[in-house]
Amino acid sequence: MKPAPVKACTPATSVTSENNDDANDGRDTSQREAVTSRWWRIHYQDRKPMEVVYSPLATQAQILEWEPEAIKVEPFEPVRQKPDEPLTVEQEVLVRAWLRHIGETDEDMIRDALDQCNTDAAARRSYLEAADKLRTMGGY
């Protein structure tokens, strides 16, 4: 079963050569099983690459299975910008409500998401936008 991404997909600019196609390079699956990451850049033949985050960690083989149209997948570490201020109590309530809405009940995963909100401005923005969208739709 595919875990729910904890953050929405975002368009990415490719930083690698399209000729380096690891997804179809003939390596056996066991090598792909050994590569795990939370952050993946997924390349497609007919559209821009997408960057996604998975929780729990996913293997290269899993991403290829879940994204059958992918021609290449690669783990990466995002460049993080620390937020200017700590997460407010109101913001934490919104993030927790959104996590509850998507079925996330594991306290370790919730703590991980809140830690992201306190250390990564883009992650915080993404969580709060998702929570705000849910709130405006009457989701909670």
Side-chain angles (χ1 to χ4, degrees):
M1 184 168 146
K2 179 179 177 179
V6 294
K7 184 172 139 184
C9 299
T10 58
T13 302
S14 177
V15 294
T16 58
S17 167
E18 292 300 322
N19 294 329
N20 181 11
D21 189 354
D22 290 340
N24 298 314
D25 65 0
R27 283 190 273 171
D28 66 71
T29 306
S30 63
Q31 287 178 311
R32 290 188 201 134
E33 287 292 340
V35 178
T36 61
S37 179
R38 180 176 313 279
W39 295 90
W40 289 92
R41 185 171 294 117
I42 305 172
H43 298 266
Y44 301 94
Q45 184 70 36
D46 59 347
R47 60 184 186 249
K48 290 183 178 181
M50 299 292 281
E51 292 178 349
V52 296
V53 59
Y54 286 94
S55 185
L57 300 178
T59 66
Q60 187 178 18
Q62 287 172 314
I63 302 299
L64 288 169
E65 179 184 334
W66 299 333
E67 297 292 334
E69 295 178 14
I71 59 170
K72 177 182 175 180
V73 298
E74 59 186 342
F76 75 98
E77 280 298 317
V79 176
R80 292 185 174 102
Q81 179 181 357
K82 188 169 174 130
D84 294 333
E85 56 203 30
L87 194 66
T88 67
V89 172
E90 294 82 12
Q91 290 171 325
E92 181 175 335
V93 167
L94 289 173
V95 171
R96 284 180 177 275
W98 181 75
L99 292 169
R100 193 171 40 255
H101 174 76
I102 64 167
E104 185 58 74
T105 59
D106 181 272
E107 276 303 314
D108 288 335
M109 301 306 285
I110 293 169
R111 211 171 7 265
D112 185 43
L114 293 173
D115 286 346
Q116 280 185 319
C117 287
N118 281 309
T119 60
D120 183 345
R124 177 188 293 191
R125 190 170 37 258
S126 178
Y127 280 111
L128 292 175
E129 285 172 2
D132 190 53
K133 202 176 286 186
L134 178 64
R135 182 177 56 180
T136 59
M137 294 171 39
Y140 56 83

